[in-house]
mmCIF file of all heavy atoms in Angstrom:
data_model
loop_
_atom_site.group_PDB
_atom_site.id
_atom_site.type_symbol
_atom_site.label_atom_id
_atom_site.label_comp_id
_atom_site.label_asym_id
_atom_site.label_seq_id
_atom_site.Cartn_x
_atom_site.Cartn_y
_atom_site.Cartn_z
ATOM 1 N N LEU G 146 141.376 114.262 130.611
ATOM 2 C CA LEU G 146 140.422 113.579 131.499
ATOM 3 C C LEU G 146 140.031 114.430 132.645
ATOM 4 O O LEU G 146 140.814 115.133 133.199
ATOM 5 C CB LEU G 146 141.045 112.288 131.977
ATOM 6 C CG LEU G 146 141.547 111.261 130.905
ATOM 7 C CD1 LEU G 146 142.209 110.042 131.571
ATOM 8 C CD2 LEU G 146 140.326 110.794 130.067
ATOM 9 N N HIS G 147 138.782 114.298 133.032
ATOM 10 C CA HIS G 147 138.245 114.973 134.215
ATOM 11 C C HIS G 147 137.980 114.021 135.353
ATOM 12 O O HIS G 147 137.955 114.384 136.510
ATOM 13 C CB HIS G 147 136.986 115.723 133.853
ATOM 14 C CG HIS G 147 137.140 116.819 132.877
ATOM 15 N ND1 HIS G 147 137.186 116.539 131.515
ATOM 16 C CD2 HIS G 147 137.329 118.146 132.998
ATOM 17 C CE1 HIS G 147 137.358 117.685 130.879
ATOM 18 N NE2 HIS G 147 137.442 118.603 131.706
ATOM 19 N N CYS G 148 137.735 112.705 135.005
ATOM 20 C CA CYS G 148 137.380 111.751 136.016
ATOM 21 C C CYS G 148 137.961 110.416 135.601
ATOM 22 O O CYS G 148 137.709 109.908 134.434
ATOM 23 C CB CYS G 148 135.844 111.743 136.191
ATOM 24 S SG CYS G 148 135.386 110.619 137.539
ATOM 25 N N VAL G 149 138.710 109.750 136.458
ATOM 26 C CA VAL G 149 139.282 108.436 136.205
ATOM 27 C C VAL G 149 138.806 107.441 137.308
ATOM 28 O O VAL G 149 138.849 107.821 138.461
ATOM 29 C CB VAL G 149 140.806 108.488 136.206
ATOM 30 C CG1 VAL G 149 141.428 107.106 136.179
ATOM 31 C CG2 VAL G 149 141.362 109.273 134.988
ATOM 32 N N HIS G 150 138.401 106.331 136.870
ATOM 33 C CA HIS G 150 137.982 105.268 137.757
ATOM 34 C C HIS G 150 138.678 103.984 137.499
ATOM 35 O O HIS G 150 138.975 103.674 136.315
ATOM 36 C CB HIS G 150 136.449 105.060 137.554
ATOM 37 C CG HIS G 150 135.849 103.921 138.366
ATOM 38 N ND1 HIS G 150 135.955 102.617 137.936
ATOM 39 C CD2 HIS G 150 135.259 103.940 139.565
ATOM 40 C CE1 HIS G 150 135.342 101.832 138.886
ATOM 41 N NE2 HIS G 150 134.951 102.647 139.864
ATOM 42 N N SER G 151 139.054 103.253 138.507
ATOM 43 C CA SER G 151 139.604 101.928 138.326
ATOM 44 C C SER G 151 139.276 100.982 139.493
ATOM 45 O O SER G 151 139.503 101.356 140.596
ATOM 46 C CB SER G 151 141.121 102.008 138.189
ATOM 47 O OG SER G 151 141.706 100.715 138.001
ATOM 48 N N SER G 152 138.703 99.872 139.209
ATOM 49 C CA SER G 152 138.234 99.002 140.279
ATOM 50 C C SER G 152 138.735 97.571 139.971
ATOM 51 O O SER G 152 138.703 97.113 138.847
ATOM 52 C CB SER G 152 136.697 98.924 140.362
ATOM 53 O OG SER G 152 136.300 98.087 141.398
ATOM 54 N N SER G 153 139.298 96.917 140.967
ATOM 55 C CA SER G 153 139.773 95.518 140.946
ATOM 56 C C SER G 153 140.783 95.266 139.792
ATOM 57 O O SER G 153 140.787 94.277 139.111
ATOM 58 C CB SER G 153 138.562 94.588 140.720
ATOM 59 O OG SER G 153 137.654 94.609 141.782
ATOM 60 N N SER G 154 141.744 96.246 139.716
ATOM 61 C CA SER G 154 142.714 96.170 138.572
ATOM 62 C C SER G 154 144.106 96.448 139.023
ATOM 63 O O SER G 154 145.093 95.787 138.577
ATOM 64 C CB SER G 154 142.303 97.117 137.458
ATOM 65 O OG SER G 154 141.115 96.762 136.874
ATOM 66 N N LEU G 155 144.350 97.415 139.864
ATOM 67 C CA LEU G 155 145.671 97.842 140.283
ATOM 68 C C LEU G 155 146.511 96.903 141.103
ATOM 69 O O LEU G 155 147.669 97.073 141.355
ATOM 70 C CB LEU G 155 145.634 99.274 140.876
ATOM 71 C CG LEU G 155 145.574 100.402 139.913
ATOM 72 C CD1 LEU G 155 145.137 101.658 140.534
ATOM 73 C CD2 LEU G 155 146.981 100.588 139.258
ATOM 74 N N HIS G 156 145.880 95.830 141.547
ATOM 75 C CA HIS G 156 146.628 94.792 142.279
ATOM 76 C C HIS G 156 147.420 93.977 141.259
ATOM 77 O O HIS G 156 148.269 93.173 141.665
ATOM 78 C CB HIS G 156 145.729 93.868 143.155
ATOM 79 C CG HIS G 156 144.445 93.494 142.541
ATOM 80 N ND1 HIS G 156 143.205 93.989 142.945
ATOM 81 C CD2 HIS G 156 144.173 92.726 141.528
ATOM 82 C CE1 HIS G 156 142.229 93.507 142.242
ATOM 83 N NE2 HIS G 156 142.789 92.650 141.341
ATOM 84 N N TRP G 157 147.065 94.061 139.959
ATOM 85 C CA TRP G 157 147.872 93.335 138.920
ATOM 86 C C TRP G 157 149.075 94.205 138.589
ATOM 87 O O TRP G 157 148.972 95.383 138.240
ATOM 88 C CB TRP G 157 146.945 93.117 137.688
ATOM 89 C CG TRP G 157 145.869 92.175 137.969
ATOM 90 C CD1 TRP G 157 144.566 92.416 137.988
ATOM 91 C CD2 TRP G 157 146.005 90.751 138.259
ATOM 92 N NE1 TRP G 157 143.857 91.323 138.263
ATOM 93 C CE2 TRP G 157 144.672 90.285 138.464
ATOM 94 C CE3 TRP G 157 147.066 89.881 138.418
ATOM 95 C CZ2 TRP G 157 144.406 88.946 138.834
ATOM 96 C CZ3 TRP G 157 146.855 88.568 138.713
ATOM 97 C CH2 TRP G 157 145.505 88.083 138.915
#
Side-chain angles (χ1 to χ4, degrees):
L146 300 178
H147 298 82
C148 186
V149 169
H150 176 275
S151 181
S152 182
S153 299
S154 297
L155 275 162
H156 42 249
W157 294 111

